[in-house]
Amino acid sequence: MASTRAAATLLLLLALAGTSSAQLSTGFYSYSCPGVYGAVKSVMQSAIAREKRMGASILRLFFHDCFVQGCDASLLLDDTPSFQGEKMANPNNGSVRGFEVIDAVKSAVEKLCPGVVSCADILAIAARDSVVILGGPTWDVKVGRRDSTTASFSGANNNIPPPTSGLANLTSLFAAQGLSQKDMVALSGAHTIGQARCTNFRAHIYNDTDIDAAFARTRQSGCPSTSGAGGDNNLAPLDLQTPTVFENNYYRNLLAKKGLLHSDQELFNGGATDALVQSYVGSQSAFFADFVAGMIKMGDITPLTGSNNGQIRKNCRRVN
């Protein structure tokens, strides 16, 4: 009888261990590295003070990381002669940026707590801090992720929604990550900050009809109609009004048919998401609440947890 009870207890403990190892928590570093949040915030404040756009760049890194193999810092891995990472995939090549800022954050955290905090968690915390520093909402970041030893070039090419996406494609790519259409519309509000390259909005400003004509002409002045004419990397603000302040003006632009990307304007173009866009125009607090819920949900996408999975990289650009 006693041995049966002991076996049952052992099974229960194993089951609990299995579930707890798969869970992220806000208190994961409470004892092992309580200073991590201050260290990340300090570096992020300096980086954004130097260049306001960097906040948007770091937030985008987190999004592009989570949509490929989950939030595992696979995007941060450099290509080598024997390893293909994700940085050269179509959605990332010449586009994602801010890796040196993540390096600086990692260096500061390593000085404080060597070998404890993953690059995946550093990116999650840095993304939250970017939003807060630029005027957006705050939230408690769930942590406890470990870093991948692999990357997926094909995953980056296939999973990240391209700027040419229609509403159906956007919805299905978000659904593939366990994110709802509401999450998608709220997370798209990240485009209230940052810049996009001409190559990503050219088709929208020259070919689409769901765009304000004067706005299209303004954007055409800085983005030549043909690729390779020297303007592919010319930048324009994703939010026409306040590209370095995190608020709900992105949605106001959509109502005025002044979304920069085709995929932006698709959210308000006579489809199923129109009402949600209008609700975020009417209530910034509703947008902030749904954005936070979406960020937490996105941060939960298939994390590597437990000592048998992944590793804590010493250098975010390469496996140990």
Side-chain angles (χ1 to χ4, degrees):
M1 182 73 178
S3 63
T4 309
R5 193 180 299 125
T9 305
L10 180 62
L11 283 171
L12 179 62
L13 286 171
L14 286 169
L16 288 171
T19 53
S20 65
S21 71
Q23 298 296 316
L24 304 177
S25 71
T26 56
F28 189 83
Y29 296 117
S30 295
Y31 300 103
S32 59
C33 192
V36 61
Y37 299 103
V40 175
K41 188 177 181 182
S42 174
V43 176
M44 288 310 303
Q45 282 175 323
S46 299
I48 292 171
R50 280 194 306 275
E51 185 198 12
K52 283 278 181 72
R53 182 188 173 205
M54 190 53 73
S57 298
I58 297 300
L59 181 56
R60 186 158 176 260
L61 278 185
F62 183 59
F63 169 54
H64 281 216
D65 181 42
C66 291
F67 265 56
V68 184
Q69 299 189 165
C71 312
D72 62 355
S74 57
L75 174 56
L76 304 181
L77 292 168
D78 283 342
D79 284 18
T80 72
S82 59
F83 180 88
Q84 184 177 41
E86 297 165 15
K87 291 181 179 180
M88 299 305 287
N90 285 333
N92 297 330
N93 187 13
S95 177
V96 287
R97 62 196 293 276
F99 297 108
E100 71 288 346
V101 173
I102 297 302
D103 291 340
V105 176
K106 176 66 170 172
S107 176
V109 172
E110 283 296 302
K111 282 194 186 98
L112 201 64
C113 322
V116 173
V117 182
S118 67
C119 299
D121 280 344
I122 281 170
L123 187 51
I125 299 164
R128 186 273 311 271
D129 288 351
S130 295
V131 171
V132 174
I133 291 164
L134 293 175
T138 190
W139 63 96
D140 292 332
V141 178
K142 287 167 43 173
V143 286
R145 301 169 190 82
R146 289 169 69 82
D147 298 324
S148 70
T149 56
T150 63
S152 178
F153 183 81
S154 63
N157 275 328
N158 295 320
N159 299 358
I160 298 167
T164 51
S165 295
L167 186 60
N169 190 40
L170 286 170
T171 302
S172 84
L173 286 169
F174 274 77
Q177 303 297 334
L179 297 167
S180 69
Q181 199 170 56
K182 183 182 193 176
D183 296 326
M184 175 187 82
V185 177
L187 289 169
S188 296
H191 285 180
T192 185
I193 53 174
Q195 310 264 333
R197 296 180 302 149
C198 165
T199 187
N200 286 327
F201 60 82
R202 175 183 283 123
H204 181 52
I205 63 172
Y206 284 102
N207 305 336
D208 289 349
T209 53
D210 59 338
I211 185 168
D212 176 82
F215 171 67
R217 282 194 300 275
T218 302
R219 286 291 157 256
Q220 287 168 5
S221 68
C223 178
S225 59
T226 53
S227 178
D232 285 7
N233 292 323
N234 290 357
L235 298 172
L238 284 158
D239 174 355
L240 180 67
Q241 304 177 64
T242 48
T244 59
V245 182
F246 197 100
E247 23 66 325
N248 65 342
N249 277 342
Y250 167 78
Y251 300 103
R252 297 181 195 280
N253 298 332
L254 300 185
L255 260 56
K257 298 200 169 179
K258 294 178 181 178
L260 184 62
L261 305 177
H262 177 84
S263 55
D264 288 329
Q265 198 58 56
E266 279 289 294
L267 302 181
F268 189 80
N269 194 27
T273 53
D274 282 18
L276 198 51
V277 170
Q278 285 175 309
S279 76
Y280 293 157
V281 170
S283 172
Q284 181 166 281
S285 60
F287 161 47
F288 278 8
D290 289 351
F291 179 80
V292 164
M295 285 295 286
I296 292 169
K297 207 164 154 186
M298 185 167 74
D300 280 343
I301 299 172
T302 55
L304 296 169
T305 55
S307 55
N308 294 326
N309 293 310
Q311 61 182 208
I312 306 298
R313 281 185 221 144
K314 296 181 177 72
N315 178 333
C316 292
R317 293 174 181 267
R318 55 178 179 263
V319 295
N320 295 342

